[in-house]
Amino acid sequence: MTSTAAAVLSTLLPHRRTPKTTAAAEAATPAHFPHQLRHLQALVADRRPIRFTLPGFPCKSPNPAKVVGRLPDEGERLALRFLDRLCARIGELYAPGARLVICSDGHLFSDLIGVPDPHVDAYNDALRAMIRTAGLSHLTTFDLRDVYGDRPCDAKRAEVHRRYAPSLDALRAETRNAAAHGGETLRLYRGITRFLFEDTTGFEGTRSALQRACRTRAYGVLQRSRAWGTLIAEHHPDAFRLSIHPQPPGTAKFGIRLLDAPDVWMTPWHACVLRDADGGGVRLMRAADAARLGRLVHQDGRPSHYLRDVHGAGRPAAARAAAPAQLS
């Protein structure tokens, strides 16, 4: 039982997302993750399938310098395939197998991040179609429509906040205490503030005014993130909790890295894929940076990713500048 649980956890360890890469982090073993090891041991003891929950895949960033469109593209496609293969490998070690529920949280934050709800619906629908078309049988999705049906999005957000969100005072106290939750709350607050600042478009005030507004909105995102986590746990009580945010060993959540990226916070929905010309290596980066290194590739009639030019030079400057602004 213990050896099987440790083997399953060892399959996850090479893909963990930590706050920083250190020698100690690289040398981590299942013993460094007691919460997750106990959880897996309990599932294995009862011969139950392993169910992972992963909040994420909300919608594309509204910043056209980061992404090539509004819909899932090569970044999401590769991340989904990776997650499906990861579950398949676990199934080879543990006969009851593993499944992963993608808990799309776009509607929870759309009003705070400046993305219209219809864009979130389109992203979520395309994500489900991508899973279905690719035959990724280990993956399913879960979002607010599964909880509250066709109620207006504002009503859904208000209900989740009312029932599950922590108080603003409590969160502010945590961010002032750098040791709270191993420093996770403060790191997350700073990371969210940075993303909100980068992704805000059309703001007419000063830079300092925008920073203040983003800090305020970051607390709202934190409140709803906590609320979403509680709601997910209520609907999937025995699930193994994954996170797209960096997580240190010893915490209840296990950070998972979906694709290679230069920033531990970068995700497919805040970036785009640059693929090597030989079709081998792939890397997440800002669309504006990828455009300087390669040419834009379309798939299924919409922008998908960049292909690195053979000689390392991108297209003419005017063409490169226009590419990230294309939205599907």
Side-chain angles (χ1 to χ4, degrees):
M1 178 181 71
T2 300
S3 61
T4 300
V8 169
L9 189 50
S10 294
T11 304
L12 299 175
L13 289 180
H15 310 290
R16 69 196 181 282
R17 190 190 293 255
T18 59
K20 60 178 67 176
T21 301
T22 63
E26 292 301 316
T29 68
H32 291 98
F33 299 84
H35 178 89
Q36 287 78 15
L37 191 57
R38 287 194 299 270
H39 192 149
L40 290 171
Q41 287 171 343
L43 294 174
V44 170
D46 293 338
R47 300 296 293 172
R48 285 180 287 167
I50 299 167
R51 181 182 297 272
F52 297 105
T53 51
L54 178 62
F57 292 86
C59 57
K60 284 294 192 182
S61 164
N63 184 347
K66 287 186 174 184
V67 298
V68 296
R70 293 177 184 150
L71 299 178
D73 53 35
E74 186 72 357
E76 280 86 355
R77 185 177 294 108
L78 292 173
L80 293 172
R81 288 176 179 171
F82 159 71
L83 293 170
D84 190 73
R85 287 196 302 269
L86 192 62
C87 289
R89 287 201 296 272
I90 291 172
E92 294 171 0
L93 300 171
Y94 178 58
R99 298 289 184 273
L100 188 144
V101 184
I102 294 171
C103 302
S104 301
D105 48 10
H107 280 306
L108 209 64
F109 310 115
S110 55
D111 61 323
L112 294 172
I113 63 177
V115 176
D117 286 310
H119 293 182
V120 177
D121 282 331
Y123 179 92
N124 287 347
D125 291 342
L127 193 75
R128 294 185 185 203
M130 189 176 280
I131 292 171
R132 184 174 60 253
T133 301
L136 305 180
S137 59
H138 300 89
L139 306 183
T140 57
T141 61
F142 176 83
D143 61 37
L144 282 181
R145 291 178 292 187
D146 297 300
V147 183
Y148 299 119
D150 295 329
R151 293 173 61 184
C153 292
D154 286 338
K156 295 177 186 178
R157 285 188 283 268
E159 181 67 10
V160 173
H161 190 101
R162 183 187 67 81
R163 292 190 61 187
Y164 303 106
S167 72
L168 188 57
D169 287 343
L171 280 181
R172 283 177 171 158
E174 285 187 31
T175 57
R176 287 194 294 267
N177 179 6
H181 299 279
E184 178 192 354
T185 306
L186 181 59
R187 282 193 299 272
L188 188 56
Y189 169 74
R190 288 172 172 170
I192 291 170
T193 301
R194 189 190 94 192
F195 276 127
L196 291 173
F197 185 83
E198 292 175 351
D199 289 359
T200 299
T201 58
F203 188 82
E204 297 180 355
T206 64
R207 183 181 178 90
S208 59
L210 176 57
Q211 288 174 332
R212 288 193 298 272
C214 290
R215 286 193 288 267
T216 298
R217 283 191 285 147
Y219 277 115
V221 172
L222 269 176
Q223 283 181 293
R224 295 185 195 176
S225 178
R226 289 277 184 89
W228 186 231
T230 302
L231 185 150
I232 290 170
E234 185 177 279
H235 284 260
H236 305 281
D238 297 324
F240 183 116
R241 176 68 151 79
L242 298 174
S243 174
I244 53 92
H245 296 132
Q247 302 290 338
T251 57
K253 294 180 284 188
F254 187 95
I256 190 81
R257 179 168 42 85
L258 303 177
L259 293 172
D260 185 33
D263 184 334
V264 296
W265 290 89
M266 191 171 282
T267 63
W269 47 94
H270 276 104
C272 78
V273 163
L274 177 70
R275 185 182 285 278
D276 287 343
D278 61 5
V282 298
R283 189 173 180 83
L284 282 178
M285 63 176 60
R286 289 166 54 94
D289 296 328
R292 289 191 286 270
L293 299 172
R295 61 179 178 84
L296 185 63
V297 176
H298 286 69
Q299 186 167 337
D300 299 326
R302 61 178 186 260
S304 172
H305 61 283
Y306 283 92
L307 183 66
R308 187 185 293 273
D309 286 350
V310 174
H311 301 295
R315 293 162 295 144
R320 291 199 306 265
Q326 299 182 45
L327 293 176
S328 52

